Amino acid sequence: MNGQAVEETAGGGGGAGEGGTEGGSPTDGGSPTEAEAEAGTGTGTGRDAILRAARRAFAFRPYAEVTLRGIAADAGVSASLIVKHFSTKERLFNTVADFGPAADQLFAAPLDGLGRHLVLTMVRSRREQQGDPLLRVVFALGNDDERVLLRERFDEQITRRLTALLTGPERALRAELIVGLLLGLGVTLSLHREGANTRATPEHLAAVYGPALQQLISA
């Protein structure tokens, strides 16, 4: 799998470059402000472009190699705009690593209709915001501390939160399988960016794909 598959997670473009204003490692502390936690809630702004570029950069390169100047070049903005919105690279990473807003949107439905809602939310996010709310974790498979942190936050904010919502037996196993189906949907839509799915409405995709999720939710 390569960078093209994650293009719709963070938008098109290249990687990080050299130079720029940097912060410390995110594992040293520092949490995003309330405004910074609103990652991916709008479209068409410089902040959104920065977040898309940052998700791509942190997914594919070690934290130490990512620079604000490189992210700025990829996003088509100035490095000073990144500083204005996020202050430091550390805070920018912590915003990228925050899956809480995505979880709020994904799980905002009763359990008896959650499967359909999950698909609708995923598809609409990709089409309206040009970003997949979850897929960046697939590319954070390295062993450096920052990628481990990204996976840990995903597990805490997505998988374990879903586990707590479910009822019945084997909740943790079912939650992991549901999350796997959601990630698989994101990968499939990225691989087939000009395929049949582009001609299907979100409602139709939810009708076709949602029952598999709902079966695990209601088990």
Side-chain angles (χ1 to χ4, degrees), residues 58-112:
F58 288 123
F60 289 111
R61 303 188 66 172
Y63 179 88
E65 294 182 7
V66 176
T67 67
L68 296 190
R69 184 173 296 173
I71 292 172
D74 192 9
V77 301
S78 66
S80 62
L81 185 63
I82 300 181
V83 174
K84 175 183 177 181
H85 282 296
F86 302 99
S87 301
T88 65
K89 185 172 77 169
E90 176 186 353
R91 284 183 176 271
L92 178 56
F93 176 86
N94 276 299
T95 303
V96 167
D98 183 11
F99 292 94
D104 290 341
Q105 294 179 9
L106 286 166
F107 304 142
L111 286 180
D112 59 2

mmCIF file of all heavy atoms in Angstrom, residues 58-112:
data_model
loop_
_atom_site.group_PDB
_atom_site.id
_atom_site.type_symbol
_atom_site.label_atom_id
_atom_site.label_comp_id
_atom_site.label_asym_id
_atom_site.label_seq_id
_atom_site.Cartn_x
_atom_site.Cartn_y
_atom_site.Cartn_z
ATOM 1 N N PHE A 58 2.706 13.005 8.997
ATOM 2 C CA PHE A 58 2.987 12.208 10.192
ATOM 3 C C PHE A 58 2.720 10.733 9.973
ATOM 4 O O PHE A 58 3.301 9.891 10.660
ATOM 5 C CB PHE A 58 2.153 12.722 11.374
ATOM 6 C CG PHE A 58 2.603 14.048 11.912
ATOM 7 C CD1 PHE A 58 1.730 15.123 11.971
ATOM 8 C CD2 PHE A 58 3.904 14.232 12.362
ATOM 9 C CE1 PHE A 58 2.131 16.351 12.479
ATOM 10 C CE2 PHE A 58 4.325 15.460 12.862
ATOM 11 C CZ PHE A 58 3.440 16.515 12.924
ATOM 12 N N ALA A 59 1.848 10.393 9.019
ATOM 13 C CA ALA A 59 1.573 8.986 8.736
ATOM 14 C C ALA A 59 2.733 8.323 8.009
ATOM 15 O O ALA A 59 3.002 7.139 8.201
ATOM 16 C CB ALA A 59 0.296 8.850 7.912
ATOM 17 N N PHE A 60 3.436 9.086 7.168
ATOM 18 C CA PHE A 60 4.441 8.476 6.295
ATOM 19 C C PHE A 60 5.879 8.740 6.690
ATOM 20 O O PHE A 60 6.787 8.081 6.191
ATOM 21 C CB PHE A 60 4.227 8.953 4.847
ATOM 22 C CG PHE A 60 3.007 8.375 4.207
ATOM 23 C CD1 PHE A 60 1.917 9.169 3.909
ATOM 24 C CD2 PHE A 60 2.922 7.027 3.932
ATOM 25 C CE1 PHE A 60 0.779 8.632 3.340
ATOM 26 C CE2 PHE A 60 1.795 6.475 3.365
ATOM 27 C CZ PHE A 60 0.719 7.281 3.068
ATOM 28 N N ARG A 61 6.121 9.700 7.610
ATOM 29 C CA ARG A 61 7.493 10.028 7.967
ATOM 30 C C ARG A 61 7.650 10.060 9.471
ATOM 31 O O ARG A 61 6.708 10.408 10.195
ATOM 32 C CB ARG A 61 7.885 11.388 7.373
ATOM 33 C CG ARG A 61 7.728 11.454 5.869
ATOM 34 C CD ARG A 61 8.309 12.716 5.304
ATOM 35 N NE ARG A 61 9.764 12.768 5.458
ATOM 36 C CZ ARG A 61 10.524 13.706 4.893
ATOM 37 N NH1 ARG A 61 9.975 14.662 4.176
ATOM 38 N NH2 ARG A 61 11.823 13.684 5.067
ATOM 39 N N PRO A 62 8.828 9.715 9.987
ATOM 40 C CA PRO A 62 9.061 9.834 11.420
ATOM 41 C C PRO A 62 8.860 11.277 11.877
ATOM 42 O O PRO A 62 9.116 12.220 11.136
ATOM 43 C CB PRO A 62 10.529 9.415 11.568
ATOM 44 C CG PRO A 62 10.806 8.569 10.368
ATOM 45 C CD PRO A 62 9.984 9.153 9.263
ATOM 46 N N TYR A 63 8.434 11.418 13.096
ATOM 47 C CA TYR A 63 8.129 12.746 13.639
ATOM 48 C C TYR A 63 9.294 13.706 13.464
ATOM 49 O O TYR A 63 9.105 14.871 13.084
ATOM 50 C CB TYR A 63 7.776 12.598 15.123
ATOM 51 C CG TYR A 63 7.457 13.890 15.825
ATOM 52 C CD1 TYR A 63 6.164 14.396 15.843
ATOM 53 C CD2 TYR A 63 8.452 14.593 16.508
ATOM 54 C CE1 TYR A 63 5.866 15.581 16.507
ATOM 55 C CE2 TYR A 63 8.168 15.776 17.174
ATOM 56 C CZ TYR A 63 6.865 16.264 17.164
ATOM 57 O OH TYR A 63 6.585 17.436 17.820
ATOM 58 N N ALA A 64 10.508 13.243 13.722
ATOM 59 C CA ALA A 64 11.676 14.123 13.669
ATOM 60 C C ALA A 64 11.944 14.648 12.265
ATOM 61 O O ALA A 64 12.567 15.699 12.100
ATOM 62 C CB ALA A 64 12.912 13.387 14.190
ATOM 63 N N GLU A 65 11.484 13.928 11.247
ATOM 64 C CA GLU A 65 11.731 14.344 9.865
ATOM 65 C C GLU A 65 10.655 15.284 9.326
ATOM 66 O O GLU A 65 10.837 15.889 8.274
ATOM 67 C CB GLU A 65 11.819 13.110 8.964
ATOM 68 C CG GLU A 65 13.016 12.220 9.257
ATOM 69 C CD GLU A 65 13.093 11.041 8.305
ATOM 70 O OE1 GLU A 65 12.284 10.994 7.334
ATOM 71 O OE2 GLU A 65 13.929 10.154 8.530
ATOM 72 N N VAL A 66 9.556 15.400 10.027
ATOM 73 C CA VAL A 66 8.469 16.267 9.574
ATOM 74 C C VAL A 66 8.744 17.695 10.028
ATOM 75 O O VAL A 66 9.113 17.936 11.173
ATOM 76 C CB VAL A 66 7.119 15.785 10.142
ATOM 77 C CG1 VAL A 66 5.997 16.757 9.755
ATOM 78 C CG2 VAL A 66 6.803 14.385 9.655
ATOM 79 N N THR A 67 8.565 18.645 9.124
ATOM 80 C CA THR A 67 8.780 20.050 9.450
ATOM 81 C C THR A 67 7.536 20.861 9.140
ATOM 82 O O THR A 67 6.748 20.514 8.256
ATOM 83 C CB THR A 67 9.954 20.634 8.652
ATOM 84 O OG1 THR A 67 9.597 20.670 7.263
ATOM 85 C CG2 THR A 67 11.224 19.809 8.835
ATOM 86 N N LEU A 68 7.389 21.959 9.853
ATOM 87 C CA LEU A 68 6.259 22.847 9.587
ATOM 88 C C LEU A 68 6.375 23.465 8.202
ATOM 89 O O LEU A 68 5.365 23.674 7.524
ATOM 90 C CB LEU A 68 6.184 23.941 10.653
ATOM 91 C CG LEU A 68 5.914 23.478 12.093
ATOM 92 C CD1 LEU A 68 5.619 24.679 12.984
ATOM 93 C CD2 LEU A 68 4.765 22.484 12.154
ATOM 94 N N ARG A 69 7.579 23.753 7.771
ATOM 95 C CA ARG A 69 7.758 24.322 6.440
ATOM 96 C C ARG A 69 7.327 23.335 5.367
ATOM 97 O O ARG A 69 6.697 23.701 4.376
ATOM 98 C CB ARG A 69 9.216 24.739 6.225
ATOM 99 C CG ARG A 69 9.458 25.422 4.885
ATOM 100 C CD ARG A 69 10.866 25.976 4.796
ATOM 101 N NE ARG A 69 11.079 27.024 5.793
ATOM 102 C CZ ARG A 69 12.250 27.588 6.039
ATOM 103 N NH1 ARG A 69 13.324 27.200 5.376
ATOM 104 N NH2 ARG A 69 12.363 28.541 6.950
ATOM 105 N N GLY A 70 7.654 22.054 5.563
ATOM 106 C CA GLY A 70 7.241 21.044 4.596
ATOM 107 C C GLY A 70 5.736 20.866 4.569
ATOM 108 O O GLY A 70 5.129 20.735 3.508
ATOM 109 N N ILE A 71 5.115 20.852 5.746
ATOM 110 C CA ILE A 71 3.661 20.751 5.806
ATOM 111 C C ILE A 71 3.024 21.959 5.136
ATOM 112 O O ILE A 71 2.041 21.844 4.395
ATOM 113 C CB ILE A 71 3.196 20.618 7.266
ATOM 114 C CG1 ILE A 71 3.640 19.265 7.839
ATOM 115 C CG2 ILE A 71 1.684 20.770 7.374
ATOM 116 C CD1 ILE A 71 3.388 19.114 9.326
ATOM 117 N N ALA A 72 3.591 23.140 5.392
ATOM 118 C CA ALA A 72 3.057 24.361 4.789
ATOM 119 C C ALA A 72 3.120 24.293 3.272
ATOM 120 O O ALA A 72 2.168 24.671 2.575
ATOM 121 C CB ALA A 72 3.821 25.576 5.303
ATOM 122 N N ALA A 73 4.244 23.810 2.742
ATOM 123 C CA ALA A 73 4.386 23.710 1.292
ATOM 124 C C ALA A 73 3.358 22.751 0.712
ATOM 125 O O ALA A 73 2.755 23.010 -0.338
ATOM 126 C CB ALA A 73 5.803 23.260 0.942
ATOM 127 N N ASP A 74 3.139 21.639 1.396
ATOM 128 C CA ASP A 74 2.163 20.659 0.935
ATOM 129 C C ASP A 74 0.745 21.220 0.999
ATOM 130 O O ASP A 74 -0.092 20.955 0.128
ATOM 131 C CB ASP A 74 2.281 19.412 1.799
ATOM 132 C CG ASP A 74 1.519 18.216 1.240
ATOM 133 O OD1 ASP A 74 1.042 18.299 0.098
ATOM 134 O OD2 ASP A 74 1.410 17.208 1.950
ATOM 135 N N ALA A 75 0.472 22.012 2.035
ATOM 136 C CA ALA A 75 -0.870 22.562 2.217
ATOM 137 C C ALA A 75 -1.115 23.809 1.374
ATOM 138 O O ALA A 75 -2.258 24.254 1.245
ATOM 139 C CB ALA A 75 -1.091 22.901 3.690
ATOM 140 N N GLY A 76 -0.042 24.394 0.826
ATOM 141 C CA GLY A 76 -0.194 25.611 0.043
ATOM 142 C C GLY A 76 -0.429 26.837 0.894
ATOM 143 O O GLY A 76 -1.113 27.783 0.473
ATOM 144 N N VAL A 77 0.146 26.826 2.111
ATOM 145 C CA VAL A 77 0.014 27.968 3.012
ATOM 146 C C VAL A 77 1.402 28.338 3.516
ATOM 147 O O VAL A 77 2.397 27.669 3.235
ATOM 148 C CB VAL A 77 -0.906 27.639 4.212
ATOM 149 C CG1 VAL A 77 -2.290 27.225 3.730
ATOM 150 C CG2 VAL A 77 -0.297 26.540 5.086
ATOM 151 N N SER A 78 1.496 29.408 4.294
ATOM 152 C CA SER A 78 2.766 29.801 4.883
ATOM 153 C C SER A 78 2.986 29.087 6.212
ATOM 154 O O SER A 78 2.025 28.716 6.901
ATOM 155 C CB SER A 78 2.785 31.316 5.127
ATOM 156 O OG SER A 78 1.836 31.682 6.110
ATOM 157 N N ALA A 79 4.242 28.895 6.571
ATOM 158 C CA ALA A 79 4.550 28.281 7.860
ATOM 159 C C ALA A 79 4.022 29.133 9.008
ATOM 160 O O ALA A 79 3.638 28.615 10.062
ATOM 161 C CB ALA A 79 6.065 28.081 7.996
ATOM 162 N N SER A 80 3.975 30.434 8.816
ATOM 163 C CA SER A 80 3.473 31.320 9.875
ATOM 164 C C SER A 80 1.994 31.067 10.157
ATOM 165 O O SER A 80 1.529 31.256 11.290
ATOM 166 C CB SER A 80 3.702 32.785 9.501
ATOM 167 O OG SER A 80 2.986 33.122 8.323
ATOM 168 N N LEU A 81 1.235 30.629 9.145
ATOM 169 C CA LEU A 81 -0.170 30.324 9.370
ATOM 170 C C LEU A 81 -0.318 29.087 10.256
ATOM 171 O O LEU A 81 -1.222 29.017 11.099
ATOM 172 C CB LEU A 81 -0.898 30.101 8.037
ATOM 173 C CG LEU A 81 -2.416 29.902 8.145
ATOM 174 C CD1 LEU A 81 -3.078 31.148 8.720
ATOM 175 C CD2 LEU A 81 -3.016 29.565 6.785
ATOM 176 N N ILE A 82 0.574 28.120 10.073
ATOM 177 C CA ILE A 82 0.552 26.946 10.942
ATOM 178 C C ILE A 82 0.831 27.365 12.379
ATOM 179 O O ILE A 82 0.165 26.914 13.316
ATOM 180 C CB ILE A 82 1.574 25.898 10.474
ATOM 181 C CG1 ILE A 82 1.261 25.437 9.052
ATOM 182 C CG2 ILE A 82 1.578 24.700 11.429
ATOM 183 C CD1 ILE A 82 2.211 24.388 8.520
ATOM 184 N N VAL A 83 1.827 28.235 12.561
ATOM 185 C CA VAL A 83 2.155 28.718 13.902
ATOM 186 C C VAL A 83 0.968 29.464 14.506
ATOM 187 O O VAL A 83 0.658 29.329 15.691
ATOM 188 C CB VAL A 83 3.400 29.620 13.863
ATOM 189 C CG1 VAL A 83 3.671 30.241 15.224
ATOM 190 C CG2 VAL A 83 4.618 28.824 13.393
ATOM 191 N N LYS A 84 0.279 30.229 13.700
ATOM 192 C CA LYS A 84 -0.889 30.976 14.171
ATOM 193 C C LYS A 84 -1.971 30.037 14.694
ATOM 194 O O LYS A 84 -2.573 30.284 15.745
ATOM 195 C CB LYS A 84 -1.451 31.839 13.040
ATOM 196 C CG LYS A 84 -2.743 32.561 13.397
ATOM 197 C CD LYS A 84 -3.293 33.354 12.213
ATOM 198 C CE LYS A 84 -4.634 34.012 12.561
ATOM 199 N NZ LYS A 84 -5.193 34.764 11.415
ATOM 200 N N HIS A 85 -2.216 28.934 13.967
ATOM 201 C CA HIS A 85 -3.287 28.016 14.348
ATOM 202 C C HIS A 85 -2.869 27.025 15.427
ATOM 203 O O HIS A 85 -3.674 26.671 16.298
ATOM 204 C CB HIS A 85 -3.774 27.234 13.130
ATOM 205 C CG HIS A 85 -4.679 28.014 12.224
ATOM 206 N ND1 HIS A 85 -5.909 28.468 12.620
ATOM 207 C CD2 HIS A 85 -4.529 28.418 10.933
ATOM 208 C CE1 HIS A 85 -6.493 29.124 11.624
ATOM 209 N NE2 HIS A 85 -5.677 29.104 10.590
ATOM 210 N N PHE A 86 -1.610 26.554 15.376
ATOM 211 C CA PHE A 86 -1.210 25.441 16.232
ATOM 212 C C PHE A 86 0.006 25.717 17.108
ATOM 213 O O PHE A 86 0.353 24.867 17.937
ATOM 214 C CB PHE A 86 -0.932 24.201 15.363
ATOM 215 C CG PHE A 86 -2.114 23.787 14.537
ATOM 216 C CD1 PHE A 86 -2.219 24.142 13.203
ATOM 217 C CD2 PHE A 86 -3.144 23.049 15.099
ATOM 218 C CE1 PHE A 86 -3.316 23.763 12.435
ATOM 219 C CE2 PHE A 86 -4.251 22.665 14.348
ATOM 220 C CZ PHE A 86 -4.332 23.025 13.014
ATOM 221 N N SER A 87 0.676 26.830 16.929
ATOM 222 C CA SER A 87 1.828 27.236 17.740
ATOM 223 C C SER A 87 3.085 26.418 17.449
ATOM 224 O O SER A 87 4.120 26.967 17.088
ATOM 225 C CB SER A 87 1.522 27.173 19.238
ATOM 226 O OG SER A 87 0.438 28.016 19.568
ATOM 227 N N THR A 88 3.032 25.088 17.621
ATOM 228 C CA THR A 88 4.222 24.256 17.470
ATOM 229 C C THR A 88 3.886 22.962 16.742
ATOM 230 O O THR A 88 2.713 22.573 16.620
ATOM 231 C CB THR A 88 4.814 23.884 18.845
ATOM 232 O OG1 THR A 88 3.871 23.048 19.548
ATOM 233 C CG2 THR A 88 5.134 25.126 19.674
ATOM 234 N N LYS A 89 4.926 22.281 16.300
ATOM 235 C CA LYS A 89 4.743 20.972 15.674
ATOM 236 C C LYS A 89 4.146 19.982 16.660
ATOM 237 O O LYS A 89 3.332 19.120 16.288
ATOM 238 C CB LYS A 89 6.076 20.456 15.136
ATOM 239 C CG LYS A 89 5.949 19.144 14.347
ATOM 240 C CD LYS A 89 7.246 18.754 13.672
ATOM 241 C CE LYS A 89 8.237 18.162 14.629
ATOM 242 N NZ LYS A 89 9.399 17.547 13.924
ATOM 243 N N GLU A 90 4.524 20.089 17.923
ATOM 244 C CA GLU A 90 3.996 19.198 18.952
ATOM 245 C C GLU A 90 2.476 19.322 19.050
ATOM 246 O O GLU A 90 1.750 18.315 19.079
ATOM 247 C CB GLU A 90 4.635 19.540 20.293
ATOM 248 C CG GLU A 90 4.101 18.739 21.460
ATOM 249 C CD GLU A 90 4.662 19.227 22.788
ATOM 250 O OE1 GLU A 90 5.560 20.099 22.778
ATOM 251 O OE2 GLU A 90 4.183 18.738 23.821
ATOM 252 N N ARG A 91 1.984 20.552 19.098
ATOM 253 C CA ARG A 91 0.540 20.761 19.191
ATOM 254 C C ARG A 91 -0.172 20.313 17.915
ATOM 255 O O ARG A 91 -1.284 19.777 17.970
ATOM 256 C CB ARG A 91 0.240 22.232 19.483
ATOM 257 C CG ARG A 91 0.506 22.634 20.920
ATOM 258 C CD ARG A 91 0.126 24.089 21.164
ATOM 259 N NE ARG A 91 0.299 24.450 22.551
ATOM 260 C CZ ARG A 91 -0.652 24.321 23.494
ATOM 261 N NH1 ARG A 91 -1.826 23.833 23.154
ATOM 262 N NH2 ARG A 91 -0.423 24.669 24.736
ATOM 263 N N LEU A 92 0.463 20.519 16.778
ATOM 264 C CA LEU A 92 -0.120 20.063 15.525
ATOM 265 C C LEU A 92 -0.239 18.546 15.514
ATOM 266 O O LEU A 92 -1.269 17.983 15.133
ATOM 267 C CB LEU A 92 0.727 20.545 14.340
ATOM 268 C CG LEU A 92 0.262 20.107 12.945
ATOM 269 C CD1 LEU A 92 -1.178 20.522 12.668
ATOM 270 C CD2 LEU A 92 1.202 20.672 11.880
ATOM 271 N N PHE A 93 0.796 17.863 15.964
ATOM 272 C CA PHE A 93 0.740 16.400 16.021
ATOM 273 C C PHE A 93 -0.364 15.943 16.963
ATOM 274 O O PHE A 93 -1.116 15.001 16.659
ATOM 275 C CB PHE A 93 2.069 15.812 16.474
ATOM 276 C CG PHE A 93 2.021 14.309 16.631
ATOM 277 C CD1 PHE A 93 2.250 13.479 15.556
ATOM 278 C CD2 PHE A 93 1.716 13.734 17.864
ATOM 279 C CE1 PHE A 93 2.167 12.097 15.690
ATOM 280 C CE2 PHE A 93 1.638 12.357 18.003
ATOM 281 C CZ PHE A 93 1.860 11.538 16.919
ATOM 282 N N ASN A 94 -0.474 16.587 18.118
ATOM 283 C CA ASN A 94 -1.494 16.188 19.083
ATOM 284 C C ASN A 94 -2.902 16.383 18.527
ATOM 285 O O ASN A 94 -3.820 15.635 18.861
ATOM 286 C CB ASN A 94 -1.323 16.966 20.385
ATOM 287 C CG ASN A 94 -0.288 16.325 21.296
ATOM 288 O OD1 ASN A 94 -0.428 15.186 21.718
ATOM 289 N ND2 ASN A 94 0.778 17.042 21.585
ATOM 290 N N THR A 95 -3.082 17.372 17.666
ATOM 291 C CA THR A 95 -4.376 17.550 17.010
ATOM 292 C C THR A 95 -4.620 16.429 16.008
ATOM 293 O O THR A 95 -5.716 15.854 15.947
ATOM 294 C CB THR A 95 -4.427 18.917 16.309
ATOM 295 O OG1 THR A 95 -4.183 19.944 17.262
ATOM 296 C CG2 THR A 95 -5.790 19.146 15.668
ATOM 297 N N VAL A 96 -3.601 16.106 15.219
ATOM 298 C CA VAL A 96 -3.713 15.021 14.240
ATOM 299 C C VAL A 96 -3.990 13.691 14.939
ATOM 300 O O VAL A 96 -4.731 12.846 14.426
ATOM 301 C CB VAL A 96 -2.422 14.946 13.392
ATOM 302 C CG1 VAL A 96 -2.367 13.656 12.597
ATOM 303 C CG2 VAL A 96 -2.342 16.147 12.461
ATOM 304 N N ALA A 97 -3.394 13.506 16.116
ATOM 305 C CA ALA A 97 -3.530 12.244 16.838
ATOM 306 C C ALA A 97 -4.814 12.151 17.652
ATOM 307 O O ALA A 97 -5.038 11.149 18.327
ATOM 308 C CB ALA A 97 -2.322 12.046 17.756
ATOM 309 N N ASP A 98 -5.648 13.169 17.592
ATOM 310 C CA ASP A 98 -6.886 13.188 18.366
ATOM 311 C C ASP A 98 -8.035 12.637 17.519
ATOM 312 O O ASP A 98 -8.470 13.269 16.562
ATOM 313 C CB ASP A 98 -7.184 14.620 18.819
ATOM 314 C CG ASP A 98 -8.422 14.708 19.688
ATOM 315 O OD1 ASP A 98 -8.936 13.645 20.107
ATOM 316 O OD2 ASP A 98 -8.875 15.832 19.962
ATOM 317 N N PHE A 99 -8.536 11.455 17.884
ATOM 318 C CA PHE A 99 -9.663 10.844 17.184
ATOM 319 C C PHE A 99 -10.990 11.122 17.883
ATOM 320 O O PHE A 99 -12.028 10.602 17.470
ATOM 321 C CB PHE A 99 -9.458 9.333 17.073
ATOM 322 C CG PHE A 99 -8.333 8.937 16.163
ATOM 323 C CD1 PHE A 99 -7.060 8.709 16.674
ATOM 324 C CD2 PHE A 99 -8.531 8.809 14.796
ATOM 325 C CE1 PHE A 99 -6.011 8.349 15.839
ATOM 326 C CE2 PHE A 99 -7.487 8.439 13.954
ATOM 327 C CZ PHE A 99 -6.227 8.214 14.478
ATOM 328 N N GLY A 100 -10.963 11.937 18.949
ATOM 329 C CA GLY A 100 -12.174 12.221 19.701
ATOM 330 C C GLY A 100 -13.285 12.844 18.875
ATOM 331 O O GLY A 100 -14.444 12.373 18.925
ATOM 332 N N PRO A 101 -12.997 13.900 18.084
ATOM 333 C CA PRO A 101 -14.059 14.481 17.258
ATOM 334 C C PRO A 101 -14.651 13.494 16.263
ATOM 335 O O PRO A 101 -15.861 13.501 16.020
ATOM 336 C CB PRO A 101 -13.338 15.642 16.551
ATOM 337 C CG PRO A 101 -12.231 16.006 17.470
ATOM 338 C CD PRO A 101 -11.766 14.704 18.053
ATOM 339 N N ALA A 102 -13.810 12.635 15.688
ATOM 340 C CA ALA A 102 -14.317 11.616 14.765
ATOM 341 C C ALA A 102 -15.236 10.644 15.488
ATOM 342 O O ALA A 102 -16.290 10.258 14.973
ATOM 343 C CB ALA A 102 -13.155 10.873 14.115
ATOM 344 N N ALA A 103 -14.837 10.247 16.699
ATOM 345 C CA ALA A 103 -15.658 9.330 17.473
ATOM 346 C C ALA A 103 -17.006 9.950 17.810
ATOM 347 O O ALA A 103 -18.046 9.271 17.764
ATOM 348 C CB ALA A 103 -14.924 8.926 18.750
ATOM 349 N N ASP A 104 -17.005 11.237 18.140
ATOM 350 C CA ASP A 104 -18.263 11.920 18.458
ATOM 351 C C ASP A 104 -19.238 11.831 17.287
ATOM 352 O O ASP A 104 -20.445 11.633 17.485
ATOM 353 C CB ASP A 104 -18.001 13.387 18.797
ATOM 354 C CG ASP A 104 -17.280 13.564 20.126
ATOM 355 O OD1 ASP A 104 -17.300 12.625 20.949
ATOM 356 O OD2 ASP A 104 -16.693 14.648 20.342
ATOM 357 N N GLN A 105 -18.734 11.990 16.070
ATOM 358 C CA GLN A 105 -19.589 11.932 14.886
ATOM 359 C C GLN A 105 -19.986 10.494 14.564
ATOM 360 O O GLN A 105 -21.154 10.213 14.253
ATOM 361 C CB GLN A 105 -18.867 12.556 13.697
ATOM 362 C CG GLN A 105 -18.603 14.043 13.837
ATOM 363 C CD GLN A 105 -17.854 14.613 12.644
ATOM 364 O OE1 GLN A 105 -17.674 13.951 11.628
ATOM 365 N NE2 GLN A 105 -17.414 15.850 12.775
ATOM 366 N N LEU A 106 -19.032 9.584 14.646
ATOM 367 C CA LEU A 106 -19.297 8.203 14.256
ATOM 368 C C LEU A 106 -20.305 7.527 15.179
ATOM 369 O O LEU A 106 -21.139 6.730 14.729
ATOM 370 C CB LEU A 106 -17.989 7.406 14.249
ATOM 371 C CG LEU A 106 -17.040 7.682 13.091
ATOM 372 C CD1 LEU A 106 -15.666 7.093 13.381
ATOM 373 C CD2 LEU A 106 -17.585 7.117 11.791
ATOM 374 N N PHE A 107 -20.248 7.820 16.458
ATOM 375 C CA PHE A 107 -21.070 7.091 17.419
ATOM 376 C C PHE A 107 -22.318 7.862 17.856
ATOM 377 O O PHE A 107 -22.958 7.505 18.841
ATOM 378 C CB PHE A 107 -20.227 6.722 18.645
ATOM 379 C CG PHE A 107 -18.987 5.922 18.310
ATOM 380 C CD1 PHE A 107 -17.794 6.127 18.975
ATOM 381 C CD2 PHE A 107 -19.014 4.973 17.295
ATOM 382 C CE1 PHE A 107 -16.655 5.397 18.663
ATOM 383 C CE2 PHE A 107 -17.885 4.229 16.967
ATOM 384 C CZ PHE A 107 -16.699 4.444 17.656
ATOM 385 N N ALA A 108 -22.681 8.888 17.110
ATOM 386 C CA ALA A 108 -23.834 9.724 17.461
ATOM 387 C C ALA A 108 -25.123 9.154 16.889
ATOM 388 O O ALA A 108 -25.831 9.803 16.108
ATOM 389 C CB ALA A 108 -23.612 11.150 16.968
ATOM 390 N N ALA A 109 -25.427 7.915 17.250
ATOM 391 C CA ALA A 109 -26.656 7.262 16.795
ATOM 392 C C ALA A 109 -26.984 6.127 17.756
ATOM 393 O O ALA A 109 -26.082 5.553 18.378
ATOM 394 C CB ALA A 109 -26.495 6.726 15.369
ATOM 395 N N PRO A 110 -28.265 5.781 17.895
ATOM 396 C CA PRO A 110 -28.640 4.622 18.719
ATOM 397 C C PRO A 110 -28.038 3.342 18.144
ATOM 398 O O PRO A 110 -27.780 3.234 16.937
ATOM 399 C CB PRO A 110 -30.166 4.601 18.633
ATOM 400 C CG PRO A 110 -30.559 5.970 18.162
ATOM 401 C CD PRO A 110 -29.431 6.458 17.308
ATOM 402 N N LEU A 111 -27.840 2.357 19.006
ATOM 403 C CA LEU A 111 -27.221 1.112 18.568
ATOM 404 C C LEU A 111 -28.018 0.423 17.465
ATOM 405 O O LEU A 111 -27.431 -0.209 16.579
ATOM 406 C CB LEU A 111 -27.060 0.158 19.753
ATOM 407 C CG LEU A 111 -25.951 0.492 20.761
ATOM 408 C CD1 LEU A 111 -25.912 -0.551 21.866
ATOM 409 C CD2 LEU A 111 -24.592 0.593 20.066
ATOM 410 N N ASP A 112 -29.357 0.535 17.500
ATOM 411 C CA ASP A 112 -30.142 -0.193 16.496
ATOM 412 C C ASP A 112 -30.032 0.407 15.097
ATOM 413 O O ASP A 112 -30.463 -0.211 14.119
ATOM 414 C CB ASP A 112 -31.610 -0.272 16.914
ATOM 415 C CG ASP A 112 -32.258 1.089 17.093
ATOM 416 O OD1 ASP A 112 -31.598 2.122 16.867
ATOM 417 O OD2 ASP A 112 -33.449 1.129 17.471
#
